[in-house]
Amino acid sequence: MTLADATAGQPLEATWTDPKRYYWLMGLVIPAFPFLAWALVGATGWRVFWWSGAIVLYGLFPFIDHVIGKDSVNPPDSALAWLEQDRYYRWCTFLYIPLQYGGLVFGCALIASGRLDLVARIGMTITLGGVSGIGINTAHELGHKKESVERWLSKITLAQTCYGHFFIEHNRGHHVRVATPEDPASARLGESFWRFLPRTVFGSARNAWRLEAARLRRLDRSPWTFRNDVLNAWAMSVVLFAALAVAFGPGVLPYLVGQAIFGFCLLEVINYTEHYGLLRQRLDSGRLERCAPRHSWNSDNVASNVFLYHLQRHSDHHANPTRRYQALRHFEEAPELPTGYAGMIVMAYFPPVWFRVMDRRVLAAYQGDVTRANIQPSKRARLLARYGAGAEGVA
């Protein structure tokens, strides 16, 4: 039975099959990158493969997205509960974690072995950072769930990037303030990625601390306790890095710091992409309108979605944060990115290219009325002068 037949009203629970069911296992290729890099260098002698993470992320993935194209078909509504309870999909995310940490230990052993020159060590650092950065997406999937084991696995996954505060800020901060000027993880029209990056890194950490401090105050407790989920998450990173330094020598520490920075910057460039320029409006009551599909950029490129557990179906995620990745749906009314996240990441690194491609899409999303967008304050006068309210030339 095809997916098209399933959506035509035929019986679903017993007969509908997820056409991507076994494709989700492809996500486990990513944490295997350190092992694959070592194997490819050994097989070919080409030292460029130490940089496999960058080659795949910035070259192969955008190409595959372009070649394979999109899949906008949704699972039938009557199959959603069935999909949600199928534990197979959970194991596809659980298995990422031991592979991630196995690759980290293996990479540290290679770096400490003395057999790699500086360029190769930097390449391995970037490869490890690619794994840990995409691992933040695995942590994102787990951290939204209600089961305590999944939430703890989320924090463990984040330890490699020293980004454990993401667990707090994303769930209790970003999902409340998304697509508003107050949200450090929502990029503004006219804001380059390089300007967005320090704002979101420091703003997210500051907001996570504020949220945890407020929670503990309500319990009449000091924030300086290991019951503070920011502190205990950061402590996991300290213990991890210390253990690796003891095992492989303190010489691995600069490379551990490097891969962590690359990893969380990879998360933040995806954050930059997800809500760029989109704005929730204030109602007459003064409250924000409810987050809707139009407040997130979507992409239905199959390859990126398989590797990122449907992260690109971002509108449904914001509407239903606890919904599991396999059940996320495409919305026709959501604004669509021109390509998958892999290609958008590359584009974001070059602001003139990004603005040329994305600004007109933001304007089109608001029928040419730039005043309805989330505008970078320092660019507001310039953008209003250029487009005006109700500008027509946005195609």
Side-chain angles (χ1 to χ4, degrees):
M1 183 178 183
T2 67
L3 193 58
D5 293 334
T7 58
Q10 297 187 23
L12 299 167
E13 299 278 1
T15 59
W16 184 79
T17 300
D18 178 7
K20 300 182 213 172
R21 180 177 179 86
Y22 297 107
Y23 293 167
W24 301 112
L25 291 171
M26 294 172 62
L28 300 178
V29 172
I30 292 170
F33 279 174
F35 305 104
L36 293 173
W38 171 77
L40 288 169
V41 172
T44 66
W46 296 357
R47 300 176 69 79
V48 68
F49 284 119
W50 293 121
W51 294 77
S52 291
I55 293 169
V56 172
L57 178 64
Y58 299 128
L60 185 60
F61 279 2
F63 175 75
I64 293 175
D65 264 340
H66 177 72
V67 170
I68 295 179
K70 298 186 177 184
D71 170 24
S72 299
V73 178
N74 290 329
D77 288 346
S78 57
L80 294 180
W82 168 67
L83 274 173
E84 290 264 353
Q85 59 80 35
D86 190 340
R87 298 189 71 86
Y88 161 80
Y89 295 96
R90 302 185 199 187
W91 281 101
C92 290
T93 54
F94 292 169
L95 290 173
Y96 191 103
I97 302 166
L99 286 172
Q100 172 185 336
Y101 278 97
L104 176 63
V105 170
F106 184 69
C108 286
L110 287 172
I111 289 170
S113 68
R115 296 196 297 270
L116 305 186
D117 61 21
L118 179 60
V119 173
R121 292 197 299 273
I122 294 173
M124 176 54 69
T125 300
I126 298 301
T127 296
L128 291 172
V131 173
S132 64
I134 296 176
I136 298 178
N137 179 58
T138 305
H140 167 262
E141 171 65 22
L142 296 169
H144 273 292
K145 303 305 173 280
K146 296 177 181 178
E147 294 186 15
S148 61
V149 65
E150 291 179 277
R151 295 168 71 85
W152 271 102
L153 286 172
S154 173
K155 293 167 75 173
I156 290 169
T157 308
L158 292 167
Q160 185 175 339
T161 48
C162 305
Y163 231 56
H165 57 276
F166 172 82
F167 176 84
I168 302 299
E169 162 59 16
H170 180 83
N171 292 358
R172 289 157 46 195
H174 173 65
H175 271 263
V176 174
R177 299 187 302 268
V178 63
T180 69
E182 293 76 27
D183 179 29
S186 294
R188 302 157 179 167
L189 180 69
E191 182 179 29
S192 74
F193 167 66
W194 304 110
R195 184 160 189 166
F196 169 80
L197 182 60
R199 181 171 73 84
T200 187
V201 169
F202 294 109
S204 295
R206 182 171 56 249
N207 283 344
W209 181 267
R210 179 182 57 80
L211 287 165
E212 269 300 271
R215 180 182 71 85
L216 291 165
R217 277 198 302 272
R218 289 193 295 270
L219 299 173
D220 292 325
R221 294 185 181 276
S222 165
W224 299 101
T225 170
F226 274 106
R227 295 190 181 188
N228 183 325
D229 283 335
V230 174
L231 288 180
N232 61 49
W234 286 346
M236 288 183 184
S237 298
V238 172
V239 170
L240 173 64
F241 281 31
L244 291 169
V246 169
F248 300 107
V252 301
L253 287 173
Y255 302 99
L256 286 172
V257 172
Q259 65 81 31
I261 293 172
F262 185 84
F264 69 66
C265 287
L266 187 57
L267 161 75
E268 296 299 359
V269 74
I270 291 174
N271 273 340
Y272 177 76
T273 295
E274 288 171 338
H275 305 283
Y276 176 77
L278 302 178
L279 181 66
R280 289 157 66 195
Q281 306 298 322
R282 290 278 177 186
L283 303 175
D284 292 340
S285 65
R287 297 173 63 88
L288 285 168
E289 64 175 321
R290 185 172 181 175
C291 189
R294 65 181 178 275
H295 299 127
S296 302
W297 291 99
N298 273 19
S299 170
D300 276 326
N301 287 81
V302 177
S304 293
N305 265 316
V306 166
F307 284 109
L308 295 175
Y309 304 120
H310 260 163
L311 180 66
Q312 297 174 150
R313 291 192 168 183
H314 209 61
S315 294
D316 196 12
H317 167 67
H318 272 277
N320 301 281
T322 61
R323 176 167 286 165
R324 296 187 181 274
Y325 67 92
Q326 66 271 21
L328 291 174
R329 301 159 300 168
H330 164 81
F331 286 102
E332 290 294 337
E333 64 267 35
E336 186 79 6
L337 293 170
T339 187
Y341 280 3
M344 298 307 298
I345 288 170
V346 177
M347 200 181 301
Y349 291 155
F350 301 95
V353 177
W354 175 270
F355 294 146
R356 182 175 181 84
V357 171
M358 286 302 299
D359 283 12
R360 64 189 180 90
R361 286 177 164 81
V362 175
L363 267 292
Y366 292 113
Q367 294 78 47
D369 186 355
V370 70
T371 64
R372 295 170 59 195
N374 185 8
I375 302 175
Q376 171 68 15
S378 62
K379 300 284 186 69
R380 188 172 189 87
R382 187 186 311 173
L383 289 170
L384 289 176
R386 179 177 181 183
Y387 296 116
E392 298 295 332
V394 299

